[in-house]
Amino acid sequence: DTGVSQDPRHKITKRGQNVTFRCDPISEHNRLYWYRQTLGQGPEFLTYFQNEAQLEKSRLLSDRFSAERPKGSFSTLEIQRTEQGDSAMYLCASSPDGTVREQYFGPGTRLTVT
Amino acid sequence: SQQGEEDPQALSIQEGENATMNCSYKTSINNLQWYRQNSGRGLVHLILIRSNEREKHSGRLRVTLDTSKKSSSLLITASRAADTASYFCATDRSYNNNDMRFGAGTRLTVKP
């Protein structure tokens, strides 16, 4: 399967714990995006990478959130000191360079903070 | 904040009928895209229309774009039960097309 993969698919954690999610984009895609989606809503943009450079971050990305893409391939999203409001689906997407911005989404990681 | 706003929020039709969903947005755009999401899954890209295009077709899908009204519509013809899903429009703002904004979606149910 050469699509976008995310791991884990589900994560249950207690409030205050740290969690880390991984995204493996389509191999030839330089662009990588993280989104958060809550029930009944569309995805909300969190951050964007061009290769290993994090070029844009949303104001939604508080200082408890950090994302990396160290070698321009896979990416990690870490949430420190999780809060119940962090419970959501975290989606990763990738796209190739160019003016067309069709994004290919992974299946998401569903986070539940208890 | 969400850029696109879909209308209606929910739509229920019989198999074989056509389904029309609308999307309005606020700022100038380069492209507008429609995505489908089956329950609890990732999004699948359906179709992209550029700001200088007015209509586009892909199989049973027809998308229109009216930049003067800042609106788009997605028509699914001859719907099938498998079309049951949430449909989202997404726009990238013309001055910052790295930041794609999604609406809250239209939940389509196609009854067999």
Side-chain angles (χ1 to χ4, degrees):
Chain A
D1 188 342
T2 57
V4 178
S5 62
Q6 292 186 246
D7 182 68
R9 294 291 306 277
H10 302 275
K11 179 70 176 178
I12 300 174
T13 191
K14 292 185 178 179
R15 190 175 54 188
Q17 297 294 306
N18 299 343
V19 294
T20 300
F21 309 140
R22 177 179 170 124
C23 170
D24 287 89
I26 294 172
S27 58
E28 60 267 27
H29 286 182
N30 294 330
R31 298 169 186 262
L32 186 146
Y33 309 80
W34 283 99
Y35 293 88
R36 181 173 69 188
Q37 184 179 27
T38 53
L39 196 62
Q41 298 297 314
E44 292 179 297
F45 171 80
L46 292 178
T47 191
Y48 155 70
F49 288 86
Q50 170 82 30
N51 298 311
E52 66 275 10
Q54 186 174 21
L55 297 185
E56 192 160 348
K57 292 194 291 186
S58 164
R59 285 173 293 177
L60 292 174
L61 211 65
S62 76
D63 56 4
R64 295 185 299 105
F65 287 70
S66 62
E68 294 183 341
R69 195 183 182 194
K71 297 181 180 179
S73 56
F74 72 91
S75 175
T76 58
L77 177 68
E78 181 183 17
I79 309 174
Q80 295 182 328
R81 305 181 304 281
T82 52
E83 301 172 357
Q84 286 188 320
D86 297 330
S87 295
M89 177 78 87
Y90 290 84
L91 294 164
C92 175
S94 69
S95 69
D97 270 341
T99 56
V100 175
R101 301 301 172 87
E102 172 185 341
Q103 296 188 7
Y104 297 78
F105 281 80
T109 294
R110 181 166 296 283
L111 173 67
T112 301
V113 181
T114 62
Chain B
S1 62
Q2 300 286 357
Q3 162 77 320
E5 296 287 341
E6 288 89 347
D7 171 59
Q9 291 185 338
L11 180 61
S12 181
I13 59 174
Q14 294 294 133
E15 209 165 26
E17 293 180 340
N18 296 341
T20 299
M21 288 160 270
N22 303 297
C23 168
S24 59
Y25 57 92
K26 297 176 183 174
T27 61
S28 297
I29 62 171
N30 288 321
N31 307 301
L32 185 143
Q33 304 183 45
W34 285 91
Y35 287 80
R36 183 187 72 217
Q37 185 177 37
N38 290 90
S39 182
R41 311 279 291 274
L43 281 77
V44 174
H45 180 265
L46 295 176
I47 195 164
L48 178 149
I49 187 165
R50 300 179 193 275
S51 59
N52 61 355
E53 297 175 316
R54 292 296 168 259
E55 188 170 313
K56 204 160 183 181
H57 297 256
S58 176
R60 295 184 295 114
L61 306 180
R62 172 179 172 252
V63 168
T64 62
L65 179 65
D66 186 334
T67 53
S68 67
K69 295 181 180 177
K70 292 187 168 62
S71 68
S72 173
S73 68
L74 170 67
L75 169 68
I76 304 174
T77 60
S79 62
R80 305 167 182 168
D83 294 329
T84 295
S86 291
Y87 291 82
F88 298 92
C89 69
T91 55
D92 56 345
R93 294 173 294 176
S94 62
Y95 66 88
N96 182 358
N97 54 18
N98 297 320
D99 176 357
M100 202 155 71
R101 299 296 179 94
F102 287 82
T106 292
R107 174 68 190 171
L108 173 66
T109 301
V110 181
K111 299 175 185 175

